[in-house]
Amino acid sequence: VHLVESGGGLVQPGGSLRLSCAASGIIFGFNAMGWYRQAPGKERELVASITNGGTTTYSDSVKGRFTISSDNAKFTVNLQMNSLKPEDTAVYYCHAVSYGDNYWGEGTLVTVSS
C-alpha cells in the first residue's frame, strides 16, 4: 500500500489550502483514512479522520476551519483547510487503516506565514 500526499505549500495567515492523498495497492479497502500533523519539536497529532461509513473526527484546534472528505471507490482523502493560522504550520501526513494495519504517507509541508 502506498499513500501519496499533495497540496502542501506556503500560505498567508487566513488563507486556504487543500491537501489530497491517493492510495494505491489496496486489496481489501480501508476502514478509515485521515490526516495527522507534526510541528517542529512536537509529537504527531491527529488532525481529522473519516471512516468508510462517513463518520468524521476533528481535533479541537481545527474544528470549524478544516473539512475532511473521502472517496471510498477511488481510495482518496482530502483535507480542506481554511482560516489557516501560523500554529497550523507542520508536516501533514496521510494515514489509513485497513483491517488492523496502519499505513502512512511521506508527508507534505504546510507553512503558514506572512
Side-chain angles (χ1 to χ4, degrees), residues 5-6 8 12 19 21 24 57 66 69 71 79 84 94 104 109:
E5 303 104 333
S6 61
Q12 293 186 342
L19 304 183
C21 174
S24 60
T57 301
F66 291 10
S69 60
D71 185 328
L79 185 69
L84 283 160
C94 180
W104 295 91
L109 177 63

Side-chain angles (χ1 to χ4, degrees), residues 87-98:
E87 51 263 44
D88 294 317
T89 295
V91 177
Y92 285 70
Y93 296 91
C94 180
H95 174 254
V97 180
S98 178

Side-chain angles (χ1 to χ4, degrees), residues 6-7 34 51 68 86 114:
S6 61
T51 69
I68 190 169
S114 54

Side-chain angles (χ1 to χ4, degrees), residues 72-85:
N72 292 337
K74 296 181 179 179
F75 303 122
T76 59
V77 62
N78 303 303
L79 185 69
Q80 178 65 42
M81 305 185 294
N82 298 328
S83 302
L84 283 160
K85 304 175 181 180

Side-chain angles (χ1 to χ4, degrees), residues 15-92:
S16 299
L17 280 177
R18 182 178 177 85
L19 304 183
S20 296
C21 174
S24 60
I26 309 303
I27 297 177
F28 300 112
F30 290 122
N31 304 110
M33 297 185 75
W35 293 90
Y36 283 71
R37 69 186 181 187
Q38 187 167 18
K42 296 187 176 181
E43 295 185 353
R44 191 173 297 189
E45 63 175 359
L46 173 69
V47 176
S49 66
I50 184 167
T51 69
N52 57 9
T55 300
T56 57
T57 301
Y58 295 93
S59 71
D60 288 342
S61 62
V62 307
K63 280 180 182 177
R65 301 188 297 123
F66 291 10
T67 303
I68 190 169
S69 60
S70 67
D71 185 328
N72 292 337
K74 296 181 179 179
F75 303 122
T76 59
V77 62
N78 303 303
L79 185 69
Q80 178 65 42
M81 305 185 294
N82 298 328
S83 302
L84 283 160
K85 304 175 181 180
E87 51 263 44
D88 294 317
T89 295
V91 177
Y92 285 70

